[in-house]
Amino acid sequence: MRILVVEDDTNLNRQIKDALSEAGYAVDVAFDGEEGHFLGDTEPYDAVVLDIGLPQMDGLSVLEEWRRAGRTMPVLLLTARDRWSDKVQGIDAGADDYVAKPFHMEEVLARLRALVRRAAGHASNEIVAGSVRLDVKAGRVTVDGQAIKLTSHELRLLSYLMHHKGKVISRTELTEHLYDQDFDRDSNTIEVFVGRLRKKLPDDCIQTVRGLGYQIADA
């Protein structure tokens, strides 16, 4: 999953990015509203962490512009604890959830997991496809109850496919959502990771739809 963090406080921006990266997300960052608006308008993010008090363009204006342009990615707002009006305005502008500063990073991670999960149509932290189970919170995968060991890139790829099970996902889409902006993207890398995953999963788990991409059956 690929996340955009828009926060002008350099230290807080870094802390959020580090926590998200450690949790297995690909993360892009912006430090002002104009840059954040541009990235959110041009890149396919799975969710956004957006501060309200940004320079150049405030967070609510950024959010309103995205929604007017038809951008539907989940947005988690960062608000000041004593500004209840910010929360109301943020929800009305199209935010999906909010966290008040100061906050515990675990709360941000939990709310992001929920936003991404709900956006993909899943109610639980556990996603099941046949004998394969993905615990989103723990980052744990089991096959017939037995835990399997995956690299961070393998887990990202499997997680994206399972969040969107039943849909055919192109190599381009996978590349766009699994790697951050600065990563040297190569769609052939996806084929390598799919090959590795297939050796660890049941034979029919990841299906190739010729000319279109990959799919995990919704079963």
Side-chain angles (χ1 to χ4, degrees):
M1 299 294 170
R2 188 177 172 198
I3 309 294
L4 172 63
V5 177
V6 190
E7 165 62 62
D8 62 315
D9 184 311
T10 304
N11 288 331
L12 182 56
N13 192 310
R14 177 184 52 79
Q15 291 170 14
I16 296 173
K17 179 182 180 181
D18 289 348
L20 291 175
S21 297
E22 187 174 338
Y25 296 100
V27 186
D28 292 336
V29 299
F31 297 91
D32 63 70
E34 286 188 359
E35 182 185 12
H37 173 263
F38 175 76
L39 288 174
D41 200 40
T42 57
E43 296 288 334
Y45 294 104
D46 295 291
V48 178
V49 179
L50 177 67
D51 185 33
I52 287 182
L54 295 169
Q56 299 188 29
M57 186 178 185
D58 69 86
L60 291 179
S61 296
V62 171
L63 179 55
E64 288 171 346
E65 287 292 320
W66 282 341
R67 295 313 191 216
R68 271 196 291 267
R71 304 294 289 168
T72 60
M73 65 280 194
V75 174
L76 176 66
L77 280 184
L78 303 181
T79 71
R81 181 177 294 278
D82 58 347
R83 293 291 299 276
W84 64 267
S85 59
D86 285 349
K87 302 170 186 176
V88 174
Q89 292 173 359
I91 297 298
D92 285 343
D96 298 273
D97 201 353
Y98 62 84
V99 174
K101 298 178 182 178
F103 51 76
H104 291 285
M105 203 61 69
E106 281 300 322
E107 182 181 3
V108 172
L109 292 172
R111 291 183 181 277
L112 274 178
R113 283 194 300 268
L115 289 180
V116 170
R117 187 179 69 237
R118 289 199 297 266
H122 300 289
S124 168
N125 265 323
E126 188 174 72
I127 304 174
V128 180
S131 61
V132 181
R133 291 178 178 266
L134 167 65
D135 184 327
V136 176
K137 180 180 179 181
R140 183 171 181 264
V141 178
T142 61
V143 176
D144 290 325
Q146 299 297 312
I148 61 173
K149 187 174 181 179
L150 300 178
T151 67
S152 60
H153 283 91
E154 290 168 354
L155 180 59
R156 281 187 193 178
L157 175 57
L158 180 61
S159 178
Y160 193 83
L161 289 173
M162 290 193 68
H163 271 85
H164 299 87
K165 65 178 182 176
K167 300 178 182 177
V168 179
I169 308 297
S170 69
R171 283 188 288 272
T172 299
E173 180 177 343
L174 285 169
T175 301
E176 289 176 340
H177 285 264
L178 298 184
Y179 303 120
D180 58 45
Q181 192 178 31
D182 297 328
F183 192 88
D184 184 15
R185 301 176 186 179
D186 181 356
S187 62
N188 291 330
T189 306
I190 298 296
E191 296 180 10
V192 173
F193 288 127
V194 168
R196 292 179 182 176
L197 276 173
R198 281 176 166 157
K199 293 178 181 178
K200 302 178 180 182
L201 300 173
D203 291 340
D204 59 349
C205 181
I206 301 178
Q207 303 167 358
T208 297
V209 181
R210 190 171 299 278
L212 296 177
Y214 303 103
Q215 178 185 43
I216 287 183
D218 188 6

